[in-house]
Amino acid sequence: EQGVTLIDPENTYIDQDVKIGKDTVIYPGVFLQGSTIIGEDCTIYSQTRIVNTKIGDNTEIESSLIEESEVGDLVHIGPNAHLRPNSILGNEIKIGNFVEVKNSKLGDGVKAGHLAYIGDGIVGKNVNIGCGVIFANYDGENKNKTIIGDNAFIGSNSNLVAPVNIG
């Protein structure tokens, strides 16, 4: 009635407090839980679970888990990505296959195409995170931050041992 398309309502699970913007399409096998808010013109593909998260407009999510986070506009997530609590994504971001983000803030235009772990980080605008990049945020006793400035290119298989600051 509000302009949302549910491909298969009998196999889509949406909690009572969830809000979904018009022209959004929800595929079967999706779980929208808690106080989740989905923006307008989004596509949420099968095997996705979103919990207590705000999703911006024109965003696509494929087969992924997103928990207690914020996602901007024009973002593509998945397949098989995991946004753990307190992940804040700006606009026009790509979080690809098997990328995990935890307790991190990513600026507009960030790309992490596949197989990366971004934990306890602050990532500037237009940063490329290569395949196999790991934010090594735990030293055995404390969690530490990794900070990456705007327009940086982090090459494949880089381990960033926090605390570290890359301009």
Side-chain angles (χ1 to χ4, degrees):
E1 294 175 3
Q2 300 292 321
V4 175
T5 300
L6 301 176
I7 301 296
D8 184 357
E10 291 185 23
N11 291 299
T12 305
Y13 306 93
I14 302 173
D15 284 355
Q16 182 175 345
D17 292 334
V18 171
K19 295 182 172 119
I20 305 171
K22 69 179 180 175
D23 296 326
T24 288
V25 178
I26 310 290
Y27 280 75
V30 168
F31 292 79
L32 302 177
Q33 299 174 294
S35 58
T36 292
I37 300 170
I38 308 289
E40 296 182 0
D41 294 304
C42 293
T43 305
I44 312 297
Y45 291 101
S46 298
Q47 309 310 315
T48 294
R49 181 172 163 238
I50 303 173
V51 183
N52 296 324
T53 293
K54 182 178 179 186
I55 306 290
D57 297 334
N58 299 295
T59 291
E60 288 189 346
I61 303 169
E62 298 183 57
S63 305
S64 295
L65 171 58
I66 303 174
E67 308 169 274
E68 300 172 13
S69 294
E70 294 180 28
V71 175
D73 299 335
L74 298 163
V75 174
H76 183 90
I77 298 172
N80 303 306
H82 186 184
L83 270 58
R84 291 170 52 193
N86 199 29
S87 296
I88 302 169
L89 277 56
N91 300 317
E92 298 184 52
I93 288 178
K94 165 104 170 93
I95 299 295
N97 305 21
F98 305 103
V99 173
E100 182 174 355
V101 181
K102 180 205 65 106
N103 191 34
S104 295
K105 183 175 182 180
L106 281 60
D108 295 347
V110 169
K111 291 176 179 56
H114 44 276
L115 301 166
Y117 173 69
I118 303 167
D120 296 301
I122 299 172
V123 180
K125 296 178 181 177
N126 302 312
V127 172
N128 184 80
I129 307 288
C131 177
V133 169
I134 303 295
F135 284 34
N137 59 332
Y138 185 58
D139 64 10
E141 293 182 24
N142 299 301
K143 299 272 178 136
N144 296 292
K145 287 246 182 243
T146 295
I147 301 170
I148 300 175
D150 294 347
N151 304 306
F153 186 100
I154 309 301
S156 295
N157 291 323
S158 296
N159 289 305
L160 306 176
V161 182
V164 66
N165 187 339
I166 297 173

